[in-house]
Every structure is written in C-alpha cells, then in structure tokens.
C-alpha cells in the first residue's frame, strides 16, 4: 500500500499530503466511497457540513476498523453558521453526524467578507482547539488581506488555508505568503475537476508512462502542497494515490508553469 508523506502543522498534528475529498459525493454513496478510499490507502478525508455527507463519512469510519489515531478527518463550518455561538453549535452538530469525539482539522469554509463575522468565528475555533475538540484549526478560501487581518486581530495563526489550486491557478504568491507564516497550503479541485487535457500534461504523462491525473497530483506533492482529489471511480481512487514511485524533473516543472493563467473554476472569495 502507498506510503503517503505527512506535513507537520504549526499547531502540532501531521496532515497526510494526499487525502480524499468528498464534495459532490452523494450522501447515500459517501459510506461506500470512503470505504473504497480507505482500502486504497487514504487516511485523510475532507468533508464539510454543506456537502451533506458527514454522516456517510462517519459510517465508513465506524465500520473501517481503523484506529482513530491513524485517521485525519477534516470538516468545515458553513457560511450561515459563522459567529461565535453559532459556530460552537454547528461544530457540535458536525461532530455528532461524524460520530467522533474530535476532528483533526476544522476550517472556516469561506471568509464571506460581506458578513464580516470571520474574526468572531475564529475566536470560537480557538475555544474548540483549547477544549481539545479539534486538533488543528484553519481556514479556506482566505486571501492574503483576510489572513493578515486574522493574524493581526487574533492569537492563533491558521494551520492550513485550503484554496482552489491546480495547474491553471498555481497560487504562487499566496503559497509563498503561507510559507513565510508557517501555514500549509491545501489544494481544492487539485485536478481542476477533471480538466486534464492540456498538451504539456499529456506529454509529461507519456514521458513517464503515467496518467495526466498522476502528473498533476505529483506536481502538487513536489510543491509541498496538500491535495485532496475526489473520485467515485474505483480505478481512479487507486490511480490518484499511486504517486510516490516517480518524480517530475526540472523540465516537467517548467512546462507545468506555462499553464498558470490565473483562471479560476470556482467562485472568487472576495465576492462569494
Ligand atoms: N474548500 C472549498 O471551498 C472546496 C471547494 C471545492 C472542493 N473542495 C474539496 O476539494 C475536493 C476536490 O475537489 P473537486 O471535487 O472539486 O475536484 P477534483 O478533485 O479536482 O476533480 C474531481 C473530478 O475529477 C474526476 N477525476 C478524479 N480522478 C480522476 C482521474 N484520475 N482521471 C480523470 N478524472 C478524474 C472526478 O470524476 P469521478 O468522481 O467521476 O471519478 C471528478 O469529476 C472536494 O471533494 C472537496 O473535498 C473544497
């Protein structure tokens, strides 16, 4: 089974560099999908309240027979639940659906600047961390100004910022900012939701005898980024973790760089 490297977070625990994401996995399918992921060797699962599949993820965890300490479970607070008291209530509900005593990583799903509640939300996250109910707290979709404000006004530096990141949105500037502040960059839509047909990706894949998805995921690994690809297809679930026996060379990395046009697939965090 693949040995997935880990990255130690600024708040202590180590996150597997490759995890399994369950956005758009039907709630009724989540149990089966996560069970397949465990069988393939994934130990990190990324869900969220808004995916409506925390219960299925929890059922798979309960049936897996895996020791809780081997797993790294992430969930996220939805925008409507931002605010101090509402965050604490939403967290209790997520934990109940997952059937767990703690989560490894809890993320503010979006900054939602129009609501301006992420500082109060973060103070509730700090309480959950102090109470031992989450091992690490982080954010998602935060820009540099959002992070700067959070770090100026609050005591805890986020462990992780989970953002849209794939070859056409390489997020060089944000990733460099994260490195300076000890924040781990986690890529959502790491496979650009399956858009893998750019010519350089195809030719690098042919050169190494690998698939386009493996090339893109390997690119994330070599940049020191955590990636959480989603698939409900058994062969792809296995393909996406078979990454640790080959490497991209300098020429490959230079070719990947030409794909970075700054094009987003998902919403802009400033306005969403
Ligand atoms: N924080 C946020 O705001 C946010 C936003 C979006 C996503 N996320 C997280 O990031 C995770 C991943 O992002 P994502 O689901 O948007 O996109 P993704 O992982 O980039 O791509 C998933 C798509 O690619 C296909 N695919 C997977 N492996 C493949 C392979 N080896 N070859 C060809 N196609 C392949 C999947 O199809 P099949 O499933 O049909 O195989 C699916 O259509 C989510 O599940 C979620 O956990 C977070």
């Amino acid at each position: 089974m693949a040995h997935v490297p880990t990255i130690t977070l600024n708040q202590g625990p180590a996150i597997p560099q490759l995890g399994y994401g369950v956005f758009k996995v039907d709630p009724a399918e989540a149990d089966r999908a996560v069970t397949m992921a465990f069988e393939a060797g994934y130990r990190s699962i990324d869900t969220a309240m808004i995916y409506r599949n925390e219960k299925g993820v929890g059922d798979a965890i309960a049936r897996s027979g895996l020791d809780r300490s081997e797993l790294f479970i992430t969930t996220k607070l939805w925008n409507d639940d931002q605010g101090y008291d509402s965050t604490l209530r939403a967290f209790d509900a997520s934990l109940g659906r997952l059937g767990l005593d703690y989560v490894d990583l809890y993320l503010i799903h979006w900054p939602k600047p129009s609501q301006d509640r992420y500082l109060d939300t973060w103070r509730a996250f700090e309480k959950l961390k102090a109470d031992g109910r989450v091992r690490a707290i982080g954010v998602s979709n935060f820009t540099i100004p959002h992070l700067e404000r959070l770090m100026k006004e609050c005591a805890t530096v986020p462990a992780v910022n989970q953002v849209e990141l794939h070859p056409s949105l390489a997020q060089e500037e944000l990733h460099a900012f994260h490195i300076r502040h000890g924040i781990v960059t986690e890529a959502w839509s790491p496979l650009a939701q399956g858009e893998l047909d750019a010519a350089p990706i195809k030719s690098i894949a042919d050169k190494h005898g690998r698939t386009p998805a493996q090339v893109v995921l390997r690119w994330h690994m070599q940049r020191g980024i955590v990636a959480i690809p989603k698939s409900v297809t058994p062969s792809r679930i296995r393909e996406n973790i078979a990454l640790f026996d080959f490497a991209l060379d300098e020429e490959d990395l230079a070719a990947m760089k030409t794909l970075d046009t700054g094009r987003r697939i998902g919403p802009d965090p400033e306005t969403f």
Side-chain angles (χ1 to χ4, degrees), residues 20-23 46-47 51 76 109-110 140-141 162 187-194 196 211 213 228-233 236 239-240:
Y20 178 71
V22 295
F23 179 43
D46 181 88
T47 183
Y51 303 168
K76 313 184 194 83
H109 207 145
W110 289 88
S140 178
N141 299 302
Q162 183 186 114
W188 64 253
S189 294
L191 297 172
Q193 296 184 349
L196 300 163
T211 67
I228 45 171
K230 170 264 176 188
S231 175
V232 291
T233 312
R236 289 173 171 177
E239 173 187 330
N240 293 349

Side-chain angles (χ1 to χ4, degrees), residues 110-114 141-146 264 267-272:
W110 289 88
K112 212 54 192 154
S114 60
N141 299 302
F142 274 46
T143 63
I144 292 175
H146 301 142
R264 284 185 188 280
D268 183 339
E270 263 325 324
T271 50
F272 180 70

Side-chain angles (χ1 to χ4, degrees), residues 34-174:
V34 173
T35 299
M36 281 194 293
F38 286 149
E39 285 166 4
Y42 298 79
R43 291 295 177 267
S44 168
I45 307 295
D46 181 88
T47 183
M49 176 274 174
I50 201 68
Y51 303 168
R52 312 276 174 202
N53 56 23
E54 289 173 311
K55 167 95 175 51
V57 171
D59 289 346
I61 294 169
R63 282 195 304 102
S64 71
L66 294 166
D67 196 275
R68 177 67 184 88
S69 64
E70 287 181 52
L71 302 176
F72 192 98
I73 308 301
T74 301
T75 193
K76 313 184 194 83
L77 177 88
W78 188 241
N79 305 342
D80 298 344
D81 294 318
Q82 282 207 33
Y84 191 88
D85 292 331
S86 43
T87 292
L88 299 179
R89 281 195 299 274
F91 177 78
D92 284 344
S94 279
L95 206 59
R97 285 187 292 270
L98 286 162
L100 299 175
D101 302 328
Y102 66 90
V103 296
D104 296 277
L105 180 63
Y106 197 36
L107 303 178
I108 302 181
H109 207 145
W110 289 88
K112 212 54 192 154
S114 60
Q115 292 186 158
D116 198 16
R117 292 208 298 259
Y118 64 76
L119 296 180
D120 279 348
T121 303
W122 191 246
R123 292 180 187 113
F125 270 49
E126 289 177 320
K127 174 168 169 51
L128 292 168
K129 167 94 170 71
D131 292 348
R133 305 186 73 206
V134 303
R135 293 176 76 215
I137 54 177
V139 296
S140 178
N141 299 302
F142 274 46
T143 63
I144 292 175
H146 301 142
L147 289 168
E148 281 174 332
R149 180 162 176 237
L150 188 82
M151 291 191 290
K152 183 160 169 276
E153 302 286 334
C154 302
T156 312
V157 175
V160 165
N161 188 16
Q162 183 186 114
V163 293
E164 180 181 343
L165 199 165
H166 41 72
S168 43
L169 186 67
Q171 301 269 26
E172 297 267 6
E173 188 191 354
L174 184 60

Side-chain angles (χ1 to χ4, degrees), residues 163-228:
V163 293
E164 180 181 343
L165 199 165
H166 41 72
S168 43
L169 186 67
Q171 301 269 26
E172 297 267 6
E173 188 191 354
L174 184 60
H175 185 42
F177 179 90
H178 290 160
I179 291 172
R180 286 200 297 284
H181 293 276
I183 300 168
V184 166
T185 307
E186 185 171 29
W188 64 253
S189 294
L191 297 172
Q193 296 184 349
E195 266 183 47
L196 300 163
D197 46 12
I201 300 176
K202 176 86 179 66
S203 57
I204 297 167
D206 290 346
K207 172 172 144 188
H208 292 278
R210 297 288 173 149
T211 67
Q214 287 172 324
V215 167
V216 171
L217 292 170
R218 186 65 217 174
W219 171 76
H220 289 291
M221 299 299 103
Q222 288 180 220
R223 293 182 77 213
I225 285 168
V226 174
I228 45 171

